Amino acid sequence: MKTNISLSSHFTYRKLFYFTFPSVIMMFFTSIYGVVDGYFVSNFAGKTAFAAINLVIPFIMILGGMGFMIGTGGTALVSKTLGEGDRQKANQYFSIMVYLTLILGIALSLVGFAFIRPVSIFLGATEQMINDCVLYGRVVLGFTTAFMLQNVFQSFLIAAQKPHLGLVATVAAGITNMLLDAVFVGIFQWGVAGAALATGISQCVGGILPLIYFIRPNSSLLRLTKTKLLLKPILQACGNGSSELMSNISTSVVSIIYNFQLLKYIGEDGVSAYGVIMYVQFAFAAIFIGYSIGSTPIISYHYGAKNHAELKNMLKKSVLLTASGGVILTGLAFMLANPLAKLFVGYDTALFNLTSHAFRIFAFSFVLAGFNIFVSSFFTALNNGGISAAISFLRTLVFQTTSVLILPFFFDVDGIWMAITVAEVFACIISAICIFAKRKKYRYL
């Protein structure tokens, strides 16, 4: 099969799989940064250090999530502009987004470095955990710019019709992370500092290599040019990509609330068990997020080109793929509950039993997660950031927060584990209503 699939193509299942597969792998490798850190820290530094990095990761992800906002919102704007036939303006918008990422990344690194200690205390770090929280946080936050660039280029390389270059950069970053974790944590015994350093260096690989590619003359649709930081495209892109930022912030806030509840009901073991589940959720959700990132430029392009038949085609195929994937991943989660719990916390019998039990309850959430993630991204691709942000906000912050606070009154600790599934059910209803309500405006049904 030819590899030169363009955004203007009619996408069969085969072409759609081929075009989005690099994005899925990219997001999967991005998701395993924390997983690999967690594995080595848990097994070589102990469960207190493991709980410490799980406590501060939500704060780190909130700052790095700015890259997802710029990347997804900017890619939708650039792809739409390409669909309209204005390549020069598309390159100008692309350059603005990259320069904005560099400036914002440096600023957020400084903010995070200064506030990581009070934030860790606010998040509930115990006296035994606080030093590990601060050390891990400060090292990782020093690489925020590289992390944001990696998130930005994951989207833009697809719009540039070079998804495989993004795949190469992200796989290289993932392998770098795994090897350095083994050396820094496993061999040198540097603990949380080694894990953080391994993550930061790998993010440089994933963020700086694509930057060099776009600076140099290249064969893609996009390249960096000299431009001013124009306010209008920045506001348009950030407004449209606000759903991804909202989703990232909401997920992090919800994780913080989960940790508060688990510290209240179980203690440190609850935070460790939740950390294991979150690693798996990140990896599984990365499949859906990767597909959404890969398909968004296609949808935006055909929206800009007013090709309604291809919008119908993309919606139909995407709903079927995400629904099928949800069922498969739920079954896989059930099968992997014991092996994964053993991999991370097998050294502690009580913690192992708690984790595997919680994982099986949590697994049902994957059935509907893919559909909800795609619908939010679908509206981002249509440059309707309001609906996309509303779906993300309700799905994560409102429904999950409400569930995790209320359900434990009725189901004790099990209520915490089932909260996300309840939230996905309500989010699915909202997503379906939005799809139906806007069918005439965008003509995708």
Side-chain angles (χ1 to χ4, degrees):
M1 180 179 175
K2 294 182 179 180
T3 60
N4 57 339
I5 301 173
S6 66
L7 294 176
S8 59
S9 299
H10 167 69
F11 279 81
T12 61
Y13 281 110
R14 189 180 182 190
K15 284 186 177 180
L16 190 56
F17 172 81
Y18 188 86
F19 195 83
T20 59
F21 182 72
S23 304
V24 173
I25 301 301
M26 280 194 295
M27 286 307 303
F28 180 80
F29 269 88
T30 300
S31 74
I32 66 172
Y33 290 156
V35 175
V36 176
D37 283 358
Y39 168 77
F40 279 98
V41 170
S42 180
N43 284 276
F44 288 91
K47 65 181 184 180
T48 298
F50 182 50
I53 66 173
N54 288 321
L55 203 67
V56 297
I57 279 178
F59 175 65
I60 295 170
M61 293 303 295
I62 287 175
L63 299 185
M66 298 294 289
F68 282 113
M69 176 187 69
I70 298 170
T72 54
T75 298
L77 176 62
V78 169
S79 298
K80 178 176 176 289
T81 307
L82 288 171
E84 293 168 345
D86 194 339
R87 186 171 176 180
Q88 183 179 356
K89 184 178 286 186
N91 278 314
Q92 181 187 32
Y93 289 164
F94 165 66
S95 301
I96 290 171
M97 300 309 151
V98 174
Y99 300 146
L100 175 64
T101 302
L102 290 169
I103 295 169
L104 198 57
I106 294 171
L108 290 176
S109 287
L110 296 174
V111 170
F113 192 88
F115 287 96
I116 187 63
R117 179 172 290 275
V119 167
S120 298
I121 294 171
F122 171 77
L123 295 177
T126 62
E127 186 178 344
Q128 292 75 23
M129 296 164 61
I130 186 64
N131 288 335
D132 284 336
C133 288
V134 173
L135 179 58
Y136 182 84
R138 282 184 172 164
V139 175
V140 171
L141 288 167
F143 296 91
T144 297
T145 304
F147 183 41
M148 288 177 61
L149 283 172
Q150 182 175 1
N151 294 336
V152 164
F153 287 129
Q154 283 174 344
S155 297
F156 276 123
L157 279 165
I158 301 163
Q161 296 182 174
K162 296 292 182 180
H164 288 81
L165 290 180
L167 174 61
V168 170
T170 306
V171 170
I175 293 173
T176 300
N177 186 44
M178 288 185 277
L179 292 176
L180 292 181
D181 262 324
V183 174
F184 293 164
V185 184
I187 298 176
F188 293 168
Q189 298 289 306
W190 288 353
V192 295
L197 189 60
T199 293
I201 293 173
S202 64
Q203 288 168 351
C204 289
V205 173
I208 295 176
L209 287 182
L211 178 63
I212 295 172
Y213 172 79
F214 283 115
I215 289 174
R216 297 168 57 85
N218 63 77
S219 60
S220 77
L221 292 178
L222 301 174
R223 66 180 56 187
L224 283 171
T225 60
K226 292 182 179 179
T227 183
K228 296 179 180 179
L229 290 178
L230 303 177
L231 185 60
K232 184 177 179 180
I234 289 175
L235 293 177
Q236 188 174 350
C238 292
N240 191 33
S242 61
S243 60
E244 274 61 38
L245 177 62
M246 178 59 66
S247 179
N248 194 277
I249 292 175
S250 298
T251 299
S252 298
V253 170
V254 168
S255 295
I256 292 169
I257 295 172
Y258 266 87
N259 286 331
F260 276 138
Q261 286 288 80
L262 289 166
L263 285 170
K264 174 183 175 182
Y265 281 87
I266 307 175
E268 186 179 293
D269 278 3
V271 176
S272 296
Y274 181 63
V276 175
I277 295 172
M278 283 300 96
Y279 291 151
V280 180
Q281 188 199 31
F282 290 157
F284 280 16
I287 296 172
F288 297 127
I289 295 171
Y291 174 81
S292 297
I293 289 174
S295 61
T296 292
I298 302 170
I299 297 165
S300 295
Y301 184 94
H302 289 289
Y303 172 60
K306 302 187 186 304
N307 189 346
H308 302 294
E310 195 60 27
L311 288 180
K312 293 178 182 179
N313 175 57
M314 286 297 298
L315 178 61
K316 179 181 178 181
K317 285 182 169 59
S318 297
V319 169
L320 181 60
L321 288 171
T322 53
S324 301
V327 173
I328 293 170
L329 289 182
T330 297
L332 190 61
F334 268 91
M335 290 189 294
L336 294 176
N338 279 350
L340 288 174
K342 187 174 183 179
L343 178 68
F344 283 93
V345 293
Y347 54 82
D348 188 309
T349 302
L351 184 53
F352 164 77
N353 290 333
L354 171 65
T355 303
S356 58
H357 170 73
F359 196 11
R360 289 190 179 91
I361 299 175
F362 199 93
F364 287 103
S365 65
F366 297 120
V367 174
L368 297 174
F371 173 74
N372 293 326
I373 290 170
F374 170 75
V375 172
S376 178
S377 296
F378 183 67
F379 282 105
T380 297
L382 296 174
N383 284 256
N384 192 329
I387 290 181
S388 181
I391 293 172
S392 296
F393 177 76
L394 290 171
R395 172 177 172 258
T396 50
L397 194 60
V398 176
F399 295 146
Q400 278 201 56
T401 299
T402 303
S403 298
V404 79
L405 291 175
I406 293 176
L407 291 179
F409 287 110
F410 301 96
F411 304 101
D412 200 51
V413 176
D414 283 352
I416 298 176
W417 308 128
M418 66 176 65
I420 188 170
T421 303
V422 173
E424 295 290 4
V425 171
F426 283 107
C428 182
I429 295 171
I430 297 297
S431 297
I433 290 172
C434 291
I435 287 286
F436 184 77
K438 293 297 180 180
R439 69 194 187 284
K440 292 182 179 179
K441 178 178 179 179
Y442 297 109
R443 297 167 61 184
Y444 46 63
L445 288 180

